[in-house]
């Protein structure tokens, strides 16, 4: 018998960032990451307290929202956390059901189910709190044909840099405070009906100095994957601790975006000024012994700094950006899967040593 999916989710609907200046953030994601203009809400559309820009590339929708007044929950969020992810919106068939089921199982309500209408139809939104000040919004859009959501108009600027080949969100990682990983693993299991895919402890993920623990939670159809990290005791301060210190609590650490051609995507991103972490050249001396034969030219990957890992089902190529704001908080992963369903465990050590070199420069190790 098929196991029943407690909370059917069709995919990630959008990710909303609360930022200090949405106009400039939107320009950065257009210019640097190739996101395309989709929708807008602001003073011109009757939104008097906030402005939002929505951008899309492949199936990835990002929204950047800024406050128009100091007495605003958006301004409060930015003051405390800096620019960061507020909403991880999930596309569902029934936003009332999603809200009622999760709240009944212990989720803290964020937004009661609300119907929003315009000439393009009807959307139902509801929401629950997750770790830190982050929330899930459930989006029911089966009776809606507009560009994004009611209240937003099409955003059609002349300036349109081309896409860079980003297709969908592969996974989104949350950093939670000391001792909270299992609390949130239990939340995703018991409240959201997710299953645990894998776990890493500090023996898997540690360098000479720093350590962390991680468990990966996935929803019924496997479209949504949320690794959850917690710092572990090391000789020095881990990147997770550094994040918690600067974000002032738990929050989204990185968004992994998938491409079908990581070499082309990364070449374009670098040309547009996106900065990536680097590993020593020696990484590529030993990588073939670890991962075996791959389709790509190793020299090209080495030149790009693309990392490689293999599991039972295939291999993956991945690369991590530096933080994209001045606080060392949110960053991006670019990933291309060639059969592998894992997350690059074989690269953790090289990667963390790279992050430690950055932390050393910031004086936060
Ligand atoms: Fe990742």
């Amino acid at each position: 018998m098929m196991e029943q999916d407690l909370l059917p989710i069709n995919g990630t609907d959008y990710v909303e960032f609360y930022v200090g200046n949405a106009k400039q953030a939107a320009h950065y994601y257009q210019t640097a990451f190739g996101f395309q203009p989709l929708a807008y809400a602001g003073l011109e559309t009757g939104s008097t307290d906030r402005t939002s820009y929505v951008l899309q590339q492949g199936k990835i929708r990002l929204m950047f929202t800024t406050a128009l007044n100091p007495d605003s929950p958006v301004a409060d969020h930015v003051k405390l956390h800096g620019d960061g992810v507020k909403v991880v919106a999930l596309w569902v068939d029934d936003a009332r059901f999603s809200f009622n089921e999760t709240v009944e199982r212990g989720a803290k309500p964020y937004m009661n189910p609300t119907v929003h209408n315009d000439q393009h139809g009807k959307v139902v939104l509801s929401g629950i709190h997750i770790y830190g000040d982050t929330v899930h919004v459930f989006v029911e859009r089966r009776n809606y044909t507009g560009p994004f959501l009611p209240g937003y108009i099409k955003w059609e600027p002349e300036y349109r840099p081309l896409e860079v080949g980003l297709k969908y969100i592969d996974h989104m990682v949350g950093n939670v405070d000391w001792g909270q990983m299992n609390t949130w693993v239990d939340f995703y299991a018991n409240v959201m009906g997710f299953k645990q895919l894998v776990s890493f402890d500090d023996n898997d993920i540690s360098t000479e100095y720093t350590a962390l623990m991680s468990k990966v939670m996935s929803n019924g159809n496997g479209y949504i994957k949320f690794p959850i990290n917690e710092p572990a005791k090391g000789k020095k301060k881990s990147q997770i601790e550094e994040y918690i210190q600067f974000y002032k609590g738990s929050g989204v650490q990185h968004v992994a975006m998938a491409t079908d051609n990581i070499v082309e995507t990364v070449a374009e991103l670098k040309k547009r000024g996106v900065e990536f972490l680097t590993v020593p050249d020696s990484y590529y001396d030993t990588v073939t012994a670890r991962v075996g034969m791959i389709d790509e030219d190793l020299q090209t990957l080495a030149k790009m700094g693309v990392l490689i890992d293999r599991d039972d089902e295939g291999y993956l190529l991945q690369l991590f950006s530096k933080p994209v704001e001045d606080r060392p908080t949110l960053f991006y992963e670019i990933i291309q899967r060639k059969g592998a369903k894992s997350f690059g465990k074989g690269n953790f050590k090289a990667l963390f040593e790279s992050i430690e070199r950055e932390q050393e420069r910031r004086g936060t190790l």
Side-chain angles (χ1 to χ4, degrees), residues 12-37:
T12 308
D13 197 282
Y14 66 88
V15 179
E16 182 175 13
F17 298 72
Y18 282 179
V19 300
N21 186 334
K23 186 174 208 157
Q24 290 189 3
H27 190 288
Y28 172 76
Y29 283 88
Q30 276 191 278
T31 305
F33 283 91
F35 279 86
Q36 302 299 303

Side-chain angles (χ1 to χ4, degrees), residues 13 38 77 114 147 158 215 225 230 234 240 328 336 356 359:
D13 197 282
L38 180 69
H77 197 275
T114 328
E158 272 182 41
K215 288 182 177 173
K225 292 189 277 292
E230 173 186 327
I240 313 301
Q336 182 179 4
E356 282 166 17
Q359 283 183 273

Side-chain angles (χ1 to χ4, degrees), residues 138-153:
F138 299 114
V139 183
E140 173 189 327
R141 51 168 71 255
R142 62 199 150 108
N143 297 309
Y144 193 69
T145 57
F148 179 56
L149 293 173
Y152 296 79
I153 57 166

Side-chain angles (χ1 to χ4, degrees), residues 170-173 227 229 253-257 318 320 331-335 337 342-344 348 351:
D170 185 274
H171 60 275
M172 281 186 79
V173 180
N229 295 336
Q253 178 210 37
H254 75 267
V255 180
M257 305 189 288
Q318 63 185 169
F320 296 84
F331 59 89
Y332 289 92
E333 173 180 351
I334 310 299
I335 184 167
R337 293 188 180 277
S342 49
F343 297 86
F348 287 169
L351 207 59

Side-chain angles (χ1 to χ4, degrees), residues 206-281:
S206 65
T207 64
E208 189 188 347
Y209 296 125
T210 68
L212 67 85
M213 297 188 288
S214 185
K215 288 182 177 173
V216 182
M217 303 303 289
S218 176
N219 78 318
N221 61 15
Y223 292 174
I224 310 282
K225 292 189 277 292
F226 291 147
I228 299 165
N229 295 336
E230 173 186 327
K233 278 265 173 280
K235 273 193 210 157
K236 294 192 176 180
K237 190 186 286 174
S238 78
Q239 50 157 321
I240 313 301
E241 264 183 283
E242 185 195 39
Y243 176 102
I244 302 277
Q245 181 194 335
F246 279 90
Y247 199 70
K248 304 295 169 200
S250 309
V252 172
Q253 178 210 37
H254 75 267
V255 180
M257 305 189 288
T259 168
D260 294 337
N261 188 333
I262 199 162
V263 170
E264 279 179 15
T265 297
V266 169
E268 193 56 34
L269 290 169
K270 284 190 170 180
K271 206 163 82 188
R272 296 170 183 218
V274 177
E275 296 180 311
F276 291 95
L277 292 174
T278 55
V279 293
D281 293 342

